[in-house]
Amino acid sequence: MCGASLEFKAVIGGDFADELFVSALSLRDVLKLECTSRSAQQSLLSGSSWVMSACHDLLPRFRVTGPARMFRGACKEDIRQLLATLRGVSTTSPAIPISLGSLSQSLALAVATRRAETRACRHLEMGGTFSQVVVCNFRFPSAAAALAETSARSLDMHASSRIIINNIVQGNQSQAWQFKLAMQGGKMLVGARRRDAPLADPVAAADAQLPSLLVDVHSVCDEFSIRLFDAGMQADASWVSAMGLCSMSGSRAAAIEALTRGITCVLCIRDTRTSESPSESKSGLHTMNLDAPRRSSS
């Protein structure tokens, strides 16, 4: 029995199981296999092969690149918390999974999501009627041109791809909104409009009683950081800036590649309470720190 046990342990443990065997099983099957013997349980829990099945079953909205290798050596409690956090998160396009390429990115996304969910819950406790946390991906097709501009007087706007979020509740109505980010003259701007609304005159929109929202944007990217808070905006109106910071974390080339490919962001969207309107929320200019990376690398 000892020899058979060792053979069984060798089959379900190690890289063979990670890459070929356990990866083909569902999480339910892995749990059944774990119950067959103490040897099987030790082999599965000592390795990271079970994470592949867990990611496949629990995180259908995400594409995890090589989960067995990514999570090898990681704290099991960190993995459990990550799976629990991302399992219930909303994404803008379930048909196109959000890519997770590293353990650090995955953990950072889980932390950013929990912080956004905490802020969303606090908003409701303070009298808000709507809040939603969404994970999305913004692509900047003209990232190279945007990062080449350092003049604050530049009027050229470099917009990201749009994302669409359904079920934004305003009063008794639920509508789909589309959101974009844009870089202009060293600033990061946020824009939003109702998906089916006609194009509005920004001057007229300022006087109209249009639906309004507050938005936080938190990027999860090693090459480019976005931290925007309380971007107060009216639907179908002009672009707005918010308190926060945008900066490159490495070389300009790496930032351009990341922005062009698309950066993962966590959005915390809230309605404006009667005591807090977009005009009352603090806003200010924030620059993308373009010169520091230039001095270190290009």
Side-chain angles (χ1 to χ4, degrees):
M1 291 295 293
C2 182
S5 178
L6 290 175
E7 289 182 4
F8 185 63
K9 184 175 181 178
V11 169
I12 67 170
D15 293 339
F16 179 84
D18 289 348
E19 302 297 338
L20 300 175
F21 181 58
V22 181
S23 62
L25 302 179
S26 67
L27 184 58
R28 183 185 298 271
D29 292 332
V30 172
L31 295 177
K32 290 180 179 179
L33 181 60
E34 181 183 341
C35 296
T36 57
S37 69
R38 182 179 297 275
S39 177
Q41 182 185 47
Q42 292 175 347
S43 296
L44 290 171
L45 294 180
S46 62
S48 56
S49 53
W50 62 274
V51 181
M52 301 185 70
S53 299
C55 289
H56 182 269
D57 286 10
L58 301 181
L59 304 181
R61 299 180 182 87
F62 297 88
R63 181 175 64 251
V64 184
T65 305
R69 290 187 297 272
M70 180 190 302
F71 294 113
R72 183 174 293 131
C75 174
K76 296 296 189 297
E77 185 59 30
D78 286 344
I79 297 177
R80 291 190 181 96
Q81 290 185 7
L82 185 151
L83 293 173
T85 300
L86 299 186
R87 180 182 183 183
V89 76
S90 297
T91 59
T92 53
S93 181
I96 305 177
I98 300 292
S99 179
L100 298 177
S102 68
L103 176 60
S104 61
Q105 180 193 14
S106 303
L107 295 176
L109 179 60
V111 171
T113 300
R114 286 195 293 269
R115 288 177 178 171
E117 290 174 343
T118 298
R119 187 160 198 188
C121 291
R122 187 181 300 119
H123 173 75
L124 297 179
E125 293 173 354
M126 294 175 63
T129 59
F130 170 79
S131 64
Q132 185 174 2
V133 175
V134 179
V135 177
C136 62
N137 191 281
F138 287 108
R139 292 181 296 101
F140 289 83
S142 58
L147 294 186
E149 292 181 358
T150 58
S151 173
R153 297 182 179 180
S154 175
L155 298 179
D156 293 335
M157 184 172 293
H158 305 277
S160 71
S161 57
R162 70 174 182 175
I163 64 165
I164 297 176
I165 300 178
N166 298 307
N167 302 321
I168 299 289
V169 178
Q170 292 284 318
N172 297 324
Q173 295 184 340
S174 177
Q175 293 181 308
W177 285 49
Q178 65 180 32
F179 295 83
K180 282 186 177 184
L181 301 180
M183 290 183 275
Q184 182 186 47
K187 302 189 300 291
M188 184 69 74
L189 308 177
V190 187
R193 65 184 302 266
R194 291 167 296 178
R195 187 178 183 182
D196 299 326
L199 293 176
D201 180 356
V203 177
D207 298 326
Q209 296 298 317
L210 294 174
S212 56
L213 294 173
L214 291 173
V215 181
D216 297 346
V217 183
H218 185 143
S219 70
V220 181
C221 178
D222 293 335
E223 296 81 15
F224 195 89
S225 298
I226 301 175
R227 304 286 189 274
L228 304 180
F229 300 96
D230 294 332
M233 61 187 64
Q234 285 185 308
D236 319 323
S238 57
W239 296 86
V240 299
S241 62
M243 293 291 292
L245 175 69
C246 299
S247 64
M248 291 185 289
S249 306
S251 69
R252 188 183 301 274
I256 291 174
E257 181 180 355
L259 289 167
T260 304
R261 183 177 62 249
I263 57 176
T264 300
C265 294
V266 179
L267 271 59
C268 180
I269 306 169
R270 312 175 299 286
D271 67 318
T272 52
R273 305 185 304 277
T274 55
S275 60
E276 181 182 16
S277 64
S279 60
E280 294 171 345
S281 64
K282 295 180 180 179
S283 62
L285 301 183
H286 47 275
T287 60
M288 293 181 288
N289 190 9
L290 303 182
D291 292 332
R294 176 182 292 179
R295 287 194 291 266
S296 59
S297 58
S298 59

